[in-house]
């Protein structure tokens, strides 16, 4: 059905352009809301593939539902569209703050959030999807009132503007909003643009569709939404500081968002120091010595160890432990985030913990992604490689625990060299731990899995940002590997390795030798 033309304050050509411009802006805002939910869910909960799949699938379903519900508003398309945009701006703009608040204050450091509160993400995805889905049917009615055209032509115009707007929103989120404004302010700013665009289109172009009371009501609703968003933007820094204290405690000393991750440093002395990367504990002052001794000693207690390569470990602690062994002449550290190295150099507590290792002329740092760096040309080989990398269960880390990655490591290992890998907790996630062992064996390494118990840090170190159950055993799992040997060639006089292999055997599942390796195209660390 072709809607009758409406008297407009502009020419039909200009009116059509303004409607399509409104479609463009609203589509850009809608995609920003989607990406913001995906990024926030991955950041707060973990496992980015799962969270992206849940958010996007729920949102697409909700968009279809919103399109059906919008059929009831076609007789009042202008008013309906104005109210939909105001609601979308409010819900989408405030979603990041609401979800971060739920994460920060639900339960004791997130335990409640690990359960039913995760459904809040689904609720926001559903609500935002319904409102986005309601836009196109209402805009279809409005563009027909501007200029008569067949339904196919109107749909083509609308979807062309919609898709181009989605492109702009998709590029603006990672390259503009996230680095310049952050997730919270970026969402609020998007909401303000959304409500202004929707209100201006309805009131400026289709104001004669509304009664005087309707215009006043829509103006009042838009003003309230803008006031809420502006108030939230004014207080967003105070909110973020309060939420950070709720998550990390009151002794936060450093909190920065780098191009790679969020880096938070807490604690005023060595015993209380904690370094969090994207909310996951990477260094605990109470546990640091035990962890790094377990990672480094078995690999350096036997064979040559003049040249050591540390993959990750920008905190300098693995390098410092390596330098405690006589005969080490060079340690190369390959770290992705320069801010972590900067903290390890300059922060008095962290640099004191690593013994000011970056002042040692034997230590050399390269800022690079470990996978890309290993693919480059290398003239130097190493006697020992220490993979001090984030947990394999974190989606972004799975490529660093793949068969292809270990093949690249083999290229820089000297004959008889050893590779020590941090492989996540063996007791609580045995599938992940033994998959690392299977992947190393598939890459041609002989392996010796070992496990060290007694980890005291109560924060998450794995794919989830939350702490595990209070009674759950806490441990570190490691694998010592050597290229082309039946075993890894570890020193059986090393107490860490001797006790650790027995501890690993106690949690070894049936059928562990049949586990398939993890590859780039088929990662197997989920579950």
């Amino acid at each position: 059905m072709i809607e009758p033309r409406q008297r407009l304050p502009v020419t039909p050509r200009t009116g059509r352009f303004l409607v399509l411009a409104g479609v463009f802006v609203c589509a850009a805002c809608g995609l920003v809301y989607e990406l913001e939910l995906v990024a926030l869910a991955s950041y707060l909960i973990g496992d980015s593939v799962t969270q992206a799949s849940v958010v996007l699938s729920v949102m697409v379903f909700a968009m279809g539902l919103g399109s059906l519900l919008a059929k009831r508003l076609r007789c009042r398309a202008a008013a309906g569209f104005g109210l939909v945009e105001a609601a979308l701006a409010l819900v989408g703009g405030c979603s990041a703050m609401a979800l971060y608040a739920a994460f920060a204050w639900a339960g004791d450091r997130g335990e409640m959030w690990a359960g039913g509160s995760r459904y809040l993400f689904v609720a926001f995805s559903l609500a935002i999807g319904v409102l986005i889905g309601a836009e196109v049917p209402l805009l279809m009615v409005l563009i027909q009132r501007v200029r008569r055209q067949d339904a196919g032509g109107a749909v083509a115009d609308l979807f062309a503007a919609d898709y181009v707007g989605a492109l702009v929103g998709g590029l603006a989120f990672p390259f503009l909003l996230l680095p310049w404004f952050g997730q919270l302010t970026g969402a609020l700013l998007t909401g303000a643009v959304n409500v202004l665009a929707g209100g201006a289109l309805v009131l400026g172009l289709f104001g004669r569709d509304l009664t005087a009371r309707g215009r006043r009501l829509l103006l009042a609703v838009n003003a309230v939404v803008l006031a809420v968003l502006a108030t939230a933007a004014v207080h967003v820094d105070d909110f973020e500081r309060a939420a950070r204290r709720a998550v990390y405690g009151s002794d936060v000393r450093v909190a920065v968002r780098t191009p790679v991750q969020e880096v938070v440093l807490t604690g005023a002395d060595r015993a209380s120091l904690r370094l969090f990367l994207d909310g996951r504990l990477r260094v605990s002052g109470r546990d640091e010595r035990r962890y790094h001794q377990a990672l480094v000693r078995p690999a350096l207690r036997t064979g040559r160890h003049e040249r050591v390569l540390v993959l990750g470990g920008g905190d300098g602690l693995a390098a410092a432990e390596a330098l405690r062994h006589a005969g080490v002449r060079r340690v190369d550290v390959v770290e992705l985030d320069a801010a972590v190295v900067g903290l390890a150099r300059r922060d008095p507590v962290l640099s004191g913990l690593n013994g000011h290792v970056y002042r040692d002329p034997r230590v050399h740092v390269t800022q690079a992604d470990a996978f890309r760096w290993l693919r480059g040309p290398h003239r130097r080989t190493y006697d020992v490689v220490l993979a001090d990398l984030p947990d394999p269960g974190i989606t972004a880390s799975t490529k660093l625990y793949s068969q292809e990655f270990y093949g690249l490591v083999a290229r820089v290992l000297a004959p008889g060299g050893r590779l020590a890998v941090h492989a996540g907790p063996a007791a609580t996630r045995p599938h992940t731990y033994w998959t690392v062992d299977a992947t190393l064996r598939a890459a041609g390494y002989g392996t010796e899995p070992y496990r060290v118990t007694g980890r005291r840090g109560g924060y998450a170190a794995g794919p989830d940002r939350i702490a595990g159950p209070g009674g759950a055993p806490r441990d570190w799992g490691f694998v010592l590997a050597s290229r082309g040997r039946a075993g890894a060639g570890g020193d059986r006089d090393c107490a860490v390795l001797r006790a650790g292999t027995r501890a690993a055997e106690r949690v070894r599942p049936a059928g562990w030798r049949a586990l398939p390796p993890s590859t780039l195209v088929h990662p197997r660390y989920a579950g």
Side-chain angles (χ1 to χ4, degrees):
M1 170 178 145
I2 304 296
E3 296 289 334
R5 282 182 56 189
Q6 181 72 25
R7 289 188 301 119
L8 300 174
V10 296
T11 64
R13 183 175 181 179
T14 302
R16 177 177 172 276
F17 171 80
L18 292 175
V19 171
L20 294 178
V23 174
F24 170 87
V25 173
C26 293
C29 294
L31 195 66
V32 168
Y33 299 141
E34 292 183 32
L35 296 175
E36 171 253 318
L37 283 179
V38 169
L40 199 62
S42 302
Y43 171 61
L44 296 182
I45 301 176
D47 189 1
S48 59
V49 172
T50 300
Q51 306 313 323
S53 300
V54 169
V55 169
L56 294 178
S57 58
V58 169
M59 193 166 285
V60 170
F61 162 77
M63 288 168 64
L65 185 61
S67 295
L68 291 175
L69 295 175
K71 291 166 65 176
R72 298 177 177 272
L73 299 175
R74 287 187 302 171
C75 58
R76 296 185 178 89
F81 179 75
L83 292 174
V84 163
E85 292 308 299
L88 181 58
L90 182 63
V91 175
C94 296
S95 59
M97 289 187 73
L99 291 167
Y100 194 52
F103 171 77
W105 284 287
D108 180 17
R109 295 198 184 277
E111 283 84 353
M112 248 180 91
W113 176 255
S117 296
R118 291 186 185 224
Y119 294 110
L120 194 58
F121 267 103
V122 176
F124 270 99
S125 302
L126 192 65
I128 292 173
V130 166
L131 294 169
I132 291 175
E135 290 175 333
V136 171
L138 299 176
L139 286 165
M140 180 73 174
V141 175
L142 295 178
I143 200 169
Q144 292 281 46
R145 290 182 180 175
V146 173
R147 190 181 74 181
R148 293 179 184 274
Q149 63 184 124
D150 63 280
V155 168
D157 290 342
L158 285 175
F159 278 109
D162 185 82
Y163 293 152
V164 175
L167 171 67
V168 172
L171 295 176
F173 179 74
F175 295 114
L176 175 63
L177 293 175
L178 199 56
W180 287 14
F181 301 102
Q183 288 180 319
L184 304 185
T185 305
L188 294 169
L189 180 61
T190 303
V193 171
N194 200 165
V195 71
L196 288 172
L201 180 65
V202 172
L203 294 171
L205 197 59
F206 299 102
R208 295 173 184 175
D209 275 8
L210 309 176
T211 64
R213 181 181 179 185
R215 288 193 293 272
R216 289 195 298 271
L217 176 62
L218 186 57
L219 275 171
V221 168
N222 286 353
V224 168
V225 171
L226 279 174
V228 170
L229 296 173
T231 302
V234 169
H235 296 287
V236 71
D237 290 337
D238 294 334
F239 168 85
E240 192 169 356
R241 282 191 290 269
R244 190 177 289 120
R245 286 194 297 269
V247 174
Y248 299 107
S250 59
D251 56 349
V252 175
R253 291 192 295 108
V254 177
V256 294
R257 180 78 199 180
T258 75
V260 178
Q261 59 202 340
E262 182 191 54
V263 179
V264 175
L265 194 62
T266 69
D269 54 38
R270 297 175 62 142
S272 61
L273 179 136
R274 290 189 178 97
L275 174 65
F276 296 88
L277 304 181
D278 271 349
R280 302 172 182 94
L281 183 65
R282 285 293 291 152
V283 174
S284 169
R286 294 192 301 170
D287 292 332
E288 175 275 322
R289 190 70 185 273
R290 187 172 177 82
Y291 167 85
H292 287 98
Q293 284 179 350
L295 174 68
V296 176
R297 281 190 178 182
L300 271 72
R301 279 288 299 268
T302 182
R304 294 172 59 88
H305 51 262
E306 286 86 357
R307 300 179 303 277
V308 178
L309 172 64
V310 180
L311 301 174
D315 49 61
L317 296 165
E321 182 63 34
L323 289 176
R324 291 189 176 98
H325 292 74
V328 174
R329 296 180 179 178
R330 181 184 179 101
V331 178
D332 286 336
V333 178
V334 179
E335 167 61 47
L336 178 61
D337 196 344
V340 175
V341 176
L343 273 178
R345 290 182 188 273
R346 295 185 293 272
D347 182 79
V349 182
L350 184 56
S351 63
L353 193 63
N354 65 35
H356 303 281
V357 68
Y358 288 119
R359 298 178 184 175
D360 193 305
R362 293 173 292 175
V363 178
H364 306 266
V365 182
T366 300
Q367 182 192 351
D369 174 81
F371 197 101
R372 292 183 180 179
W373 185 84
L374 287 170
R375 292 189 68 188
H378 297 286
R379 297 181 180 177
R380 184 177 290 110
T381 58
Y382 298 90
D383 303 308
V384 175
V385 176
L386 305 172
D388 188 15
L389 298 165
D391 190 279
I394 300 170
T395 303
S397 301
T398 54
K399 71 175 184 178
L400 305 178
Y401 291 84
S402 65
Q403 185 175 340
E404 293 87 346
F405 179 77
Y406 295 133
L408 293 174
V409 172
R411 293 167 51 188
V412 301
L413 267 180
R418 283 87 59 210
L419 165 64
V421 178
H422 161 244
T428 54
R429 295 205 311 282
H431 172 83
T432 296
Y433 174 75
W434 290 101
T435 297
V436 175
D437 176 70
T439 304
L440 282 162
R441 287 187 282 108
Y445 292 86
T447 64
E448 290 189 38
Y450 63 104
R451 166 177 166 251
V452 177
T453 58
R455 179 168 66 88
R456 292 175 289 180
Y459 288 79
D464 293 330
R465 282 179 49 119
I466 55 172
R474 297 189 175 101
D475 65 353
W476 299 284
F478 303 92
V479 181
L480 180 63
S482 182
R483 186 74 171 172
R485 293 191 181 188
D491 182 1
R492 285 296 172 178
D493 291 332
C494 177
V496 171
L497 188 60
R498 188 171 60 250
T501 53
R502 292 196 298 267
E505 289 172 0
R506 288 195 292 270
V507 297
R508 188 167 60 195
W512 62 281
R513 285 194 175 276
L515 284 173
S518 183
T519 65
L520 288 177
V521 296
H522 195 164
R524 298 182 184 272
Y525 293 113

